[in-house]
Amino acid sequence: MSKKSLINVALIVALFLVFGISFVIGGLHTDPEERFGGTDGAATTQIQESHPDYEPWFHPFFQPESSEIESGLFALQAGIGGTILGFAIGALWGRRHRGTGPGSGTPDADSDAAPEPGSEPAATSSRVADATA
């Protein structure tokens, strides 16, 4: 293996170790009942403690069966949004860099003039002349 390949493998192993250790440490310090709690739940709890007679204006029209399903739907939404954002950034980057550099297939600045109507390119006229001869 080359030095570059060894470095790549070491970085991937380090990445998995960091994620694995963070999940173990995070799992030890959280309550299993509220493992997937978020800021919405914390805000609701705070409001209920400070104003017990508060009535919410709206109620959710869809309530997932468990917090794992809710977390999965949130991750799906984040994945779709990230995909769309990445596609848009890639398309804009490609549009900006298209046509720059050597061998890109774009015409030179000297050949910007449009061909006159009724004239054929040189390669086509020579093929037509060969076919008629």
Short mmCIF file of all heavy atoms in Angstrom, two decimals, residues 8-59:
data_model
loop_
_atom_site.label_atom_id
_atom_site.label_comp_id
_atom_site.label_asym_id
_atom_site.label_seq_id
_atom_site.Cartn_x
_atom_site.Cartn_y
_atom_site.Cartn_z
N ASN A 8 -5.30 7.47 4.25
CA ASN A 8 -6.76 7.44 4.06
C ASN A 8 -7.41 6.40 4.95
O ASN A 8 -8.45 6.66 5.58
CB ASN A 8 -7.10 7.19 2.60
CG ASN A 8 -6.84 8.38 1.72
OD1 ASN A 8 -6.77 9.52 2.20
ND2 ASN A 8 -6.68 8.14 0.44
N VAL A 9 -6.83 5.21 5.03
CA VAL A 9 -7.38 4.16 5.88
C VAL A 9 -7.32 4.58 7.34
O VAL A 9 -8.27 4.38 8.11
CB VAL A 9 -6.63 2.82 5.64
CG1 VAL A 9 -7.00 1.79 6.68
CG2 VAL A 9 -6.92 2.31 4.24
N ALA A 10 -6.22 5.18 7.76
CA ALA A 10 -6.07 5.63 9.15
C ALA A 10 -7.10 6.71 9.48
O ALA A 10 -7.69 6.70 10.58
CB ALA A 10 -4.66 6.16 9.39
N LEU A 11 -7.38 7.62 8.55
CA LEU A 11 -8.39 8.65 8.79
C LEU A 11 -9.78 8.05 8.90
O LEU A 11 -10.59 8.49 9.73
CB LEU A 11 -8.33 9.69 7.67
CG LEU A 11 -7.14 10.64 7.70
CD1 LEU A 11 -7.13 11.52 6.45
CD2 LEU A 11 -7.16 11.50 8.94
N ILE A 12 -10.09 7.07 8.08
CA ILE A 12 -11.41 6.43 8.15
C ILE A 12 -11.57 5.69 9.47
O ILE A 12 -12.62 5.77 10.13
CB ILE A 12 -11.62 5.50 6.94
CG1 ILE A 12 -11.75 6.33 5.66
CG2 ILE A 12 -12.84 4.61 7.13
CD1 ILE A 12 -11.75 5.53 4.39
N VAL A 13 -10.54 4.97 9.90
CA VAL A 13 -10.58 4.26 11.19
C VAL A 13 -10.75 5.26 12.32
O VAL A 13 -11.54 5.05 13.25
CB VAL A 13 -9.33 3.38 11.37
CG1 VAL A 13 -9.21 2.86 12.79
CG2 VAL A 13 -9.35 2.23 10.37
N ALA A 14 -10.00 6.37 12.28
CA ALA A 14 -10.12 7.40 13.32
C ALA A 14 -11.52 7.99 13.34
O ALA A 14 -12.08 8.25 14.42
CB ALA A 14 -9.08 8.49 13.08
N LEU A 15 -12.12 8.18 12.18
CA LEU A 15 -13.48 8.71 12.11
C LEU A 15 -14.47 7.77 12.79
O LEU A 15 -15.31 8.21 13.59
CB LEU A 15 -13.87 8.94 10.65
CG LEU A 15 -15.26 9.52 10.38
CD1 LEU A 15 -15.28 10.99 10.79
CD2 LEU A 15 -15.59 9.38 8.92
N PHE A 16 -14.36 6.47 12.49
CA PHE A 16 -15.25 5.50 13.12
C PHE A 16 -15.02 5.44 14.63
O PHE A 16 -15.97 5.30 15.41
CB PHE A 16 -15.07 4.11 12.50
CG PHE A 16 -15.83 3.94 11.21
CD1 PHE A 16 -15.14 3.84 10.01
CD2 PHE A 16 -17.21 3.91 11.20
CE1 PHE A 16 -15.84 3.69 8.81
CE2 PHE A 16 -17.91 3.76 10.01
CZ PHE A 16 -17.22 3.66 8.82
N LEU A 17 -13.78 5.55 15.07
CA LEU A 17 -13.50 5.54 16.51
C LEU A 17 -14.11 6.75 17.21
O LEU A 17 -14.69 6.62 18.29
CB LEU A 17 -11.98 5.50 16.75
CG LEU A 17 -11.31 4.15 16.56
CD1 LEU A 17 -9.80 4.28 16.68
CD2 LEU A 17 -11.83 3.15 17.57
N VAL A 18 -13.98 7.92 16.61
CA VAL A 18 -14.55 9.13 17.21
C VAL A 18 -16.06 9.00 17.33
O VAL A 18 -16.65 9.30 18.38
CB VAL A 18 -14.15 10.38 16.40
CG1 VAL A 18 -14.98 11.59 16.80
CG2 VAL A 18 -12.67 10.68 16.57
N PHE A 19 -16.73 8.54 16.27
CA PHE A 19 -18.18 8.37 16.32
C PHE A 19 -18.58 7.30 17.34
O PHE A 19 -19.53 7.48 18.10
CB PHE A 19 -18.76 8.03 14.94
CG PHE A 19 -19.01 9.22 14.09
CD1 PHE A 19 -18.29 9.43 12.93
CD2 PHE A 19 -19.96 10.16 14.45
CE1 PHE A 19 -18.51 10.53 12.15
CE2 PHE A 19 -20.20 11.26 13.66
CZ PHE A 19 -19.46 11.46 12.51
N GLY A 20 -17.88 6.20 17.36
CA GLY A 20 -18.20 5.14 18.31
C GLY A 20 -18.03 5.58 19.75
O GLY A 20 -18.90 5.35 20.60
N ILE A 21 -16.93 6.25 20.04
CA ILE A 21 -16.69 6.74 21.40
C ILE A 21 -17.72 7.78 21.79
O ILE A 21 -18.23 7.78 22.92
CB ILE A 21 -15.25 7.28 21.53
CG1 ILE A 21 -14.26 6.12 21.42
CG2 ILE A 21 -15.05 8.03 22.83
CD1 ILE A 21 -12.82 6.55 21.28
N SER A 22 -18.09 8.68 20.87
CA SER A 22 -19.08 9.71 21.20
C SER A 22 -20.45 9.10 21.47
O SER A 22 -21.17 9.57 22.36
CB SER A 22 -19.17 10.74 20.08
OG SER A 22 -19.72 10.18 18.91
N PHE A 23 -20.82 8.04 20.75
CA PHE A 23 -22.10 7.39 21.03
C PHE A 23 -22.09 6.69 22.38
O PHE A 23 -23.07 6.72 23.11
CB PHE A 23 -22.46 6.39 19.92
CG PHE A 23 -23.02 7.04 18.69
CD1 PHE A 23 -22.47 6.78 17.45
CD2 PHE A 23 -24.08 7.90 18.76
CE1 PHE A 23 -22.97 7.37 16.31
CE2 PHE A 23 -24.60 8.51 17.63
CZ PHE A 23 -24.04 8.24 16.40
N VAL A 24 -20.97 6.06 22.73
CA VAL A 24 -20.88 5.38 24.03
C VAL A 24 -20.94 6.40 25.15
O VAL A 24 -21.70 6.24 26.11
CB VAL A 24 -19.59 4.53 24.09
CG1 VAL A 24 -19.36 4.02 25.51
CG2 VAL A 24 -19.68 3.36 23.13
N ILE A 25 -20.15 7.45 25.05
CA ILE A 25 -20.14 8.47 26.10
C ILE A 25 -21.48 9.19 26.17
O ILE A 25 -22.01 9.43 27.25
CB ILE A 25 -18.98 9.47 25.87
CG1 ILE A 25 -17.64 8.77 26.09
CG2 ILE A 25 -19.10 10.68 26.79
CD1 ILE A 25 -16.45 9.61 25.71
N GLY A 26 -22.05 9.53 25.03
CA GLY A 26 -23.35 10.20 25.01
C GLY A 26 -24.45 9.32 25.57
O GLY A 26 -25.36 9.79 26.26
N GLY A 27 -24.38 8.02 25.31
CA GLY A 27 -25.38 7.09 25.84
C GLY A 27 -25.30 6.93 27.34
O GLY A 27 -26.30 6.68 28.02
N LEU A 28 -24.11 7.07 27.91
CA LEU A 28 -23.95 6.95 29.36
C LEU A 28 -24.48 8.16 30.11
O LEU A 28 -24.89 8.04 31.25
CB LEU A 28 -22.47 6.75 29.70
CG LEU A 28 -21.83 5.45 29.20
CD1 LEU A 28 -20.33 5.46 29.53
CD2 LEU A 28 -22.50 4.25 29.83
N HIS A 29 -24.47 9.32 29.46
CA HIS A 29 -24.85 10.56 30.14
C HIS A 29 -26.26 11.04 29.84
O HIS A 29 -26.62 12.14 30.23
CB HIS A 29 -23.85 11.67 29.79
CG HIS A 29 -22.47 11.40 30.31
ND1 HIS A 29 -22.16 11.40 31.64
CD2 HIS A 29 -21.32 11.11 29.66
CE1 HIS A 29 -20.88 11.13 31.81
NE2 HIS A 29 -20.34 10.94 30.61
N THR A 30 -27.05 10.26 29.14
CA THR A 30 -28.42 10.67 28.84
C THR A 30 -29.40 9.69 29.46
O THR A 30 -29.11 8.52 29.66
CB THR A 30 -28.67 10.73 27.33
OG1 THR A 30 -28.39 9.45 26.76
CG2 THR A 30 -27.82 11.79 26.66
N ASP A 31 -30.57 10.20 29.74
CA ASP A 31 -31.65 9.37 30.26
C ASP A 31 -32.26 8.58 29.11
O ASP A 31 -32.63 9.16 28.09
CB ASP A 31 -32.70 10.28 30.90
CG ASP A 31 -33.83 9.50 31.55
OD1 ASP A 31 -33.65 8.29 31.82
OD2 ASP A 31 -34.89 10.11 31.78
N PRO A 32 -32.38 7.24 29.23
CA PRO A 32 -32.93 6.45 28.13
C PRO A 32 -34.35 6.86 27.73
O PRO A 32 -34.76 6.69 26.59
CB PRO A 32 -32.92 5.01 28.65
CG PRO A 32 -31.93 5.00 29.75
CD PRO A 32 -31.92 6.39 30.32
N GLU A 33 -35.10 7.42 28.66
CA GLU A 33 -36.47 7.84 28.34
C GLU A 33 -36.48 9.09 27.45
O GLU A 33 -37.40 9.30 26.70
CB GLU A 33 -37.25 8.12 29.63
CG GLU A 33 -37.44 6.90 30.49
CD GLU A 33 -38.32 5.86 29.82
OE1 GLU A 33 -39.29 6.25 29.14
OE2 GLU A 33 -38.03 4.67 29.98
N GLU A 34 -35.46 9.92 27.58
CA GLU A 34 -35.42 11.17 26.83
C GLU A 34 -34.21 11.24 25.91
O GLU A 34 -33.67 12.31 25.67
CB GLU A 34 -35.42 12.35 27.79
CG GLU A 34 -36.68 12.46 28.61
CD GLU A 34 -36.68 13.70 29.49
OE1 GLU A 34 -35.83 14.58 29.27
OE2 GLU A 34 -37.52 13.78 30.36
N ARG A 35 -33.78 10.12 25.41
CA ARG A 35 -32.57 10.09 24.58
C ARG A 35 -32.74 10.90 23.30
O ARG A 35 -31.82 11.53 22.83
CB ARG A 35 -32.23 8.65 24.24
CG ARG A 35 -30.94 8.56 23.45
CD ARG A 35 -30.41 7.21 23.43
NE ARG A 35 -29.95 6.89 24.77
CZ ARG A 35 -29.43 5.73 25.12
NH1 ARG A 35 -29.32 4.79 24.23
NH2 ARG A 35 -29.04 5.50 26.33
N PHE A 36 -33.94 10.91 22.71
CA PHE A 36 -34.15 11.61 21.45
C PHE A 36 -34.90 12.92 21.66
O PHE A 36 -35.52 13.42 20.75
CB PHE A 36 -34.91 10.71 20.47
CG PHE A 36 -34.11 9.52 20.05
CD1 PHE A 36 -34.37 8.28 20.60
CD2 PHE A 36 -33.09 9.65 19.14
CE1 PHE A 36 -33.63 7.18 20.22
CE2 PHE A 36 -32.34 8.55 18.76
CZ PHE A 36 -32.62 7.32 19.31
N GLY A 37 -34.84 13.48 22.84
CA GLY A 37 -35.49 14.76 23.12
C GLY A 37 -34.77 15.89 22.44
O GLY A 37 -33.57 15.82 22.17
N GLY A 38 -35.48 16.94 22.15
CA GLY A 38 -34.87 18.07 21.47
C GLY A 38 -35.28 19.38 22.12
O GLY A 38 -35.81 19.42 23.23
N THR A 39 -35.03 20.46 21.43
CA THR A 39 -35.33 21.77 21.98
C THR A 39 -36.83 22.02 22.08
O THR A 39 -37.27 22.76 22.97
CB THR A 39 -34.70 22.88 21.12
OG1 THR A 39 -35.15 22.73 19.78
CG2 THR A 39 -33.19 22.79 21.15
N ASP A 40 -37.63 21.41 21.21
CA ASP A 40 -39.08 21.59 21.31
C ASP A 40 -39.60 21.02 22.62
O ASP A 40 -40.42 21.65 23.30
CB ASP A 40 -39.79 20.91 20.14
CG ASP A 40 -39.52 21.60 18.82
OD1 ASP A 40 -39.08 22.76 18.83
OD2 ASP A 40 -39.74 20.96 17.77
N GLY A 41 -39.13 19.83 22.96
CA GLY A 41 -39.55 19.22 24.23
C GLY A 41 -39.08 20.01 25.44
O GLY A 41 -39.81 20.17 26.43
N ALA A 42 -37.86 20.53 25.37
CA ALA A 42 -37.33 21.34 26.48
C ALA A 42 -38.13 22.63 26.63
O ALA A 42 -38.42 23.07 27.75
CB ALA A 42 -35.85 21.64 26.26
N ALA A 43 -38.48 23.26 25.52
CA ALA A 43 -39.26 24.50 25.57
C ALA A 43 -40.66 24.23 26.12
O ALA A 43 -41.17 25.01 26.94
CB ALA A 43 -39.35 25.12 24.19
N THR A 44 -41.28 23.14 25.71
CA THR A 44 -42.61 22.79 26.21
C THR A 44 -42.57 22.55 27.72
O THR A 44 -43.45 23.02 28.45
CB THR A 44 -43.14 21.54 25.49
OG1 THR A 44 -43.15 21.80 24.09
CG2 THR A 44 -44.53 21.18 25.95
N THR A 45 -41.56 21.84 28.18
CA THR A 45 -41.42 21.58 29.61
C THR A 45 -41.24 22.89 30.37
O THR A 45 -41.85 23.09 31.43
CB THR A 45 -40.22 20.64 29.87
OG1 THR A 45 -40.41 19.46 29.11
CG2 THR A 45 -40.08 20.31 31.32
N GLN A 46 -40.42 23.78 29.87
CA GLN A 46 -40.18 25.06 30.53
C GLN A 46 -41.45 25.89 30.59
O GLN A 46 -41.74 26.51 31.61
CB GLN A 46 -39.08 25.83 29.78
CG GLN A 46 -38.67 27.12 30.43
CD GLN A 46 -37.99 26.90 31.76
OE1 GLN A 46 -37.35 25.88 31.97
NE2 GLN A 46 -38.13 27.84 32.66
N ILE A 47 -42.23 25.93 29.52
CA ILE A 47 -43.48 26.69 29.50
C ILE A 47 -44.47 26.09 30.48
O ILE A 47 -45.15 26.82 31.23
CB ILE A 47 -44.07 26.75 28.08
CG1 ILE A 47 -43.19 27.61 27.18
CG2 ILE A 47 -45.49 27.29 28.08
CD1 ILE A 47 -43.54 27.55 25.72
N GLN A 48 -44.57 24.77 30.53
CA GLN A 48 -45.52 24.13 31.44
C GLN A 48 -45.13 24.36 32.89
O GLN A 48 -46.01 24.48 33.76
CB GLN A 48 -45.60 22.63 31.16
CG GLN A 48 -46.33 22.31 29.88
CD GLN A 48 -46.29 20.84 29.52
OE1 GLN A 48 -45.53 20.07 30.10
NE2 GLN A 48 -47.10 20.45 28.53
N GLU A 49 -43.83 24.44 33.19
CA GLU A 49 -43.40 24.70 34.56
C GLU A 49 -43.65 26.15 34.96
O GLU A 49 -44.07 26.43 36.09
CB GLU A 49 -41.92 24.38 34.72
CG GLU A 49 -41.62 22.90 34.70
CD GLU A 49 -40.14 22.61 34.75
OE1 GLU A 49 -39.32 23.57 34.81
OE2 GLU A 49 -39.77 21.42 34.71
N SER A 50 -43.42 27.10 34.04
CA SER A 50 -43.59 28.51 34.39
C SER A 50 -45.04 28.97 34.31
O SER A 50 -45.44 29.85 35.08
CB SER A 50 -42.70 29.38 33.50
OG SER A 50 -43.08 29.25 32.16
N HIS A 51 -45.85 28.41 33.41
CA HIS A 51 -47.27 28.79 33.26
C HIS A 51 -48.11 27.52 33.15
O HIS A 51 -48.44 27.08 32.05
CB HIS A 51 -47.48 29.65 32.02
CG HIS A 51 -46.68 30.90 31.96
ND1 HIS A 51 -46.40 31.66 33.05
CD2 HIS A 51 -46.11 31.54 30.92
CE1 HIS A 51 -45.67 32.71 32.69
NE2 HIS A 51 -45.48 32.65 31.39
N PRO A 52 -48.51 26.93 34.29
CA PRO A 52 -49.25 25.66 34.23
C PRO A 52 -50.61 25.76 33.54
O PRO A 52 -51.13 24.76 33.03
CB PRO A 52 -49.42 25.27 35.69
CG PRO A 52 -48.66 26.25 36.50
CD PRO A 52 -48.24 27.36 35.63
N ASP A 53 -51.23 26.93 33.48
CA ASP A 53 -52.55 27.07 32.86
C ASP A 53 -52.48 27.42 31.38
O ASP A 53 -53.49 27.73 30.76
CB ASP A 53 -53.36 28.13 33.60
CG ASP A 53 -52.66 29.48 33.65
OD1 ASP A 53 -51.42 29.50 33.51
OD2 ASP A 53 -53.35 30.51 33.82
N TYR A 54 -51.31 27.35 30.77
CA TYR A 54 -51.14 27.70 29.36
C TYR A 54 -51.80 26.66 28.46
O TYR A 54 -51.64 25.47 28.65
CB TYR A 54 -49.65 27.80 29.01
CG TYR A 54 -49.38 28.05 27.55
CD1 TYR A 54 -49.60 29.29 26.98
CD2 TYR A 54 -48.93 27.02 26.72
CE1 TYR A 54 -49.36 29.52 25.64
CE2 TYR A 54 -48.69 27.24 25.38
CZ TYR A 54 -48.91 28.49 24.85
OH TYR A 54 -48.68 28.70 23.52
N GLU A 55 -52.57 27.13 27.47
CA GLU A 55 -53.21 26.27 26.49
C GLU A 55 -52.53 26.49 25.13
O GLU A 55 -52.49 27.60 24.64
CB GLU A 55 -54.70 26.62 26.34
CG GLU A 55 -55.57 26.13 27.46
CD GLU A 55 -55.75 24.63 27.43
OE1 GLU A 55 -55.83 24.05 26.33
OE2 GLU A 55 -55.78 24.05 28.51
N PRO A 56 -52.00 25.44 24.50
CA PRO A 56 -51.38 25.62 23.18
C PRO A 56 -52.41 26.04 22.14
O PRO A 56 -53.57 25.64 22.20
CB PRO A 56 -50.82 24.25 22.85
CG PRO A 56 -50.96 23.41 24.05
CD PRO A 56 -51.89 24.09 24.99
N TRP A 57 -51.98 26.84 21.19
CA TRP A 57 -52.87 27.31 20.14
C TRP A 57 -53.14 26.22 19.13
O TRP A 57 -54.23 26.13 18.59
CB TRP A 57 -52.26 28.49 19.41
CG TRP A 57 -52.17 29.74 20.21
CD1 TRP A 57 -52.51 29.91 21.52
CD2 TRP A 57 -51.70 30.99 19.76
NE1 TRP A 57 -52.28 31.19 21.91
CE2 TRP A 57 -51.78 31.89 20.84
CE3 TRP A 57 -51.22 31.45 18.57
CZ2 TRP A 57 -51.40 33.22 20.74
CZ3 TRP A 57 -50.84 32.78 18.46
CH2 TRP A 57 -50.93 33.64 19.54
N PHE A 58 -52.15 25.42 18.84
CA PHE A 58 -52.27 24.39 17.82
C PHE A 58 -51.79 23.06 18.38
O PHE A 58 -51.00 23.01 19.31
CB PHE A 58 -51.41 24.72 16.58
CG PHE A 58 -51.77 26.02 15.94
CD1 PHE A 58 -51.02 27.16 16.16
CD2 PHE A 58 -52.85 26.09 15.09
CE1 PHE A 58 -51.35 28.36 15.57
CE2 PHE A 58 -53.19 27.28 14.48
CZ PHE A 58 -52.44 28.42 14.72
N HIS A 59 -52.26 21.99 17.77
CA HIS A 59 -51.81 20.64 18.11
C HIS A 59 -51.30 19.98 16.83
O HIS A 59 -51.83 20.24 15.74
CB HIS A 59 -52.96 19.80 18.70
CG HIS A 59 -53.45 20.33 20.00
ND1 HIS A 59 -52.77 20.17 21.17
CD2 HIS A 59 -54.56 21.05 20.32
CE1 HIS A 59 -53.43 20.74 22.15
NE2 HIS A 59 -54.52 21.30 21.67
#
